[in-house]
Amino acid sequence: MKKQEDADMPGSRRIRTDLALETTERFAEENAEIRGVEVHEEYDEEKDVRTTVVKIVTENGAKSMGRPQGTYITIEAPELSTPDEDYHREISEEISTHLRKLIDLKKEKSVLVVGLGNAAITADALGPQVVDNLLMTRHIIKEYGLRGIKHEKMHRISGIAPGVMAQTGMETAEIVQGIVSETKPDVVVAIDALAARSVRRLSRTIQITDTGIHPGSGVGNHRNGLTEENLQVKVIGIGVPTVVDAATIVHDSMAHLLDALEETEQKEFLDEMIAPNLYSMFVTPKDVDETIKYLSFMISEGLNIAFSQV
């Protein structure tokens, strides 16, 4: 699970979010200009899907956002967590479309999918469950060749759910670096659960980025990132926010009252009202078990669709 804090801004009060979209919104709330950041939004009324593309194009933009330069695609769909297979199929196709824009799949590729997180903790099990649902082809092609599966061309898909340090005694990045070194994929796709600063985005938002991902930091455990710099191959990150910290819920519940206070008064009020331990307490919806099942299948289907043709 991954989590970052918004860049320092007046009144931000350690707002925790992995979504680049929420960081841009926070700047907008503070009427602060973000140079070096481009934002483009589209809304599909028929599907009720809003897609926002945030591109960080300069070093100054990266510093302001507190994130690496690159492209961050956010898909917001209110019905993501509902049991609607037709709707889920449409979102899977959306995911596939965006992946094909970030990865050149016109030629055969070897793709390693890494399911980050702890399969024993439901809110953190998105990555492992996505890997469970994936169509793996690398071993079949290696054993029988393309003719054995009646295809002239096909991407070679492999996957791993490396677990967490408490289970393995190893950094996730160490495990993945070893696998990359041995299998030499052309691209790594890392799946992880994220943190949001808004309850309404929990399990209803998908972020896709070409900047990679940092496993473990969702609960304050900052680990080596899975990035192109570290792995020497292109890394795509896909995540869904499944938790929000308790302090954010309190903060948002008092938003109307805070708006009436000056900046210094806001800080003093929050220091008194929000206990420090709330910033390390994370909350997830009560139906997270069922939701993770829907989301993991939806994302895996998006990957299967994207990688099914050359």
Side-chain angles (χ1 to χ4, degrees):
M1 188 177 291
K2 172 180 178 288
K3 179 203 69 204
Q4 294 179 352
E5 295 184 6
D6 273 349
D8 291 335
M9 292 177 288
S12 64
R13 188 54 183 173
R14 288 189 287 170
I15 295 299
R16 304 177 187 275
T17 180
D18 286 314
L19 302 177
L21 172 61
E22 290 189 332
T23 303
T24 62
E25 289 176 342
R26 194 65 184 176
F27 273 101
E29 290 172 8
E30 301 293 339
N31 295 316
E33 182 182 358
I34 323 173
R35 295 183 178 179
V37 178
E38 301 173 0
V39 181
H40 177 71
E41 181 181 298
E42 291 184 359
Y43 177 65
D44 187 324
E45 187 173 355
E46 182 179 349
K47 297 179 182 178
D48 192 18
V49 174
R50 188 179 305 277
T51 303
T52 306
V53 179
V54 176
K55 290 186 178 181
I56 303 177
V57 297
T58 68
E59 291 184 7
N60 286 336
K63 184 177 180 181
S64 297
M65 292 283 289
R67 287 169 170 77
Q69 288 181 237
T71 301
Y72 300 80
I73 301 167
T74 307
I75 303 171
E76 297 179 86
E79 303 302 318
L80 272 187
S81 59
T82 60
D84 185 337
E85 291 186 10
D86 292 335
Y87 187 76
H88 292 174
R89 177 72 179 186
E90 291 179 346
I91 301 302
S92 294
E93 290 174 351
E94 286 278 334
I95 294 170
S96 171
T97 298
H98 290 298
L99 283 174
R100 286 184 169 273
K101 291 179 180 178
L102 296 178
I103 310 172
D104 180 9
L105 295 173
K106 295 177 182 178
K107 297 181 180 179
E108 292 178 67
K109 287 283 196 303
S110 175
V111 182
L112 172 64
V113 180
V114 180
L116 299 169
N118 189 339
I121 300 175
T122 307
D124 198 27
L126 178 69
Q129 289 194 26
V130 168
V131 170
D132 285 345
N133 293 324
L134 273 178
L135 175 61
M136 304 299 181
T137 60
R138 181 179 179 273
H139 63 302
I140 300 175
I141 295 172
K142 189 174 181 180
E143 183 72 22
Y144 302 107
L146 290 169
R147 291 184 180 181
I149 51 177
K150 299 180 181 179
H151 281 77
E152 293 183 2
K153 293 182 179 180
M154 177 172 277
H155 300 296
R156 292 163 170 77
I157 311 302
S158 57
I160 182 70
V164 295
M165 182 178 285
Q167 298 168 324
T168 65
M170 295 178 283
E171 290 270 8
T172 299
E174 292 175 330
I175 297 172
V176 177
Q177 283 172 346
I179 294 171
V180 168
S181 176
E182 181 68 25
T183 64
K184 296 178 173 54
D186 299 306
V187 60
V188 171
V189 178
I191 319 293
D192 200 6
L194 308 179
R197 72 164 298 272
S198 172
V199 174
R200 67 183 177 85
R201 287 200 168 100
L202 288 181
S203 306
R204 294 175 175 83
T205 305
I206 300 171
Q207 178 173 267
I208 306 171
T209 176
D210 60 3
T211 63
I213 211 158
H214 294 264
S217 59
V219 289
N221 299 326
H222 298 279
R223 302 300 181 196
N224 294 332
L226 302 184
T227 63
E228 185 169 358
E229 181 182 5
N230 291 343
L231 299 180
Q232 302 303 306
V233 296
K234 187 179 185 68
V235 182
I236 302 297
I238 301 177
V240 176
T242 60
V243 298
V244 62
D245 71 19
T248 296
I249 297 176
V250 176
H251 183 282
D252 289 351
S253 298
M254 298 186 298
H256 66 286
L257 175 60
L258 294 173
D259 288 341
L261 301 177
E262 296 293 332
E263 180 185 329
T264 54
E265 293 175 327
Q266 285 186 21
K267 185 178 184 304
E268 291 174 1
F269 182 77
L270 290 172
D271 284 339
E272 293 179 5
M273 294 297 297
I274 302 180
N277 64 322
L278 290 181
Y279 287 98
S280 59
M281 182 182 295
F282 293 88
V283 182
T284 193
K286 64 179 182 180
D287 59 349
V288 66
D289 301 71
E290 190 174 17
T291 299
I292 290 295
K293 181 176 69 174
Y294 296 145
L295 291 170
S296 61
F297 186 76
M298 191 187 317
I299 293 172
S300 63
E301 278 301 286
L303 294 171
N304 288 335
I305 294 169
F307 301 142
S308 63
Q309 300 178 25
V310 177

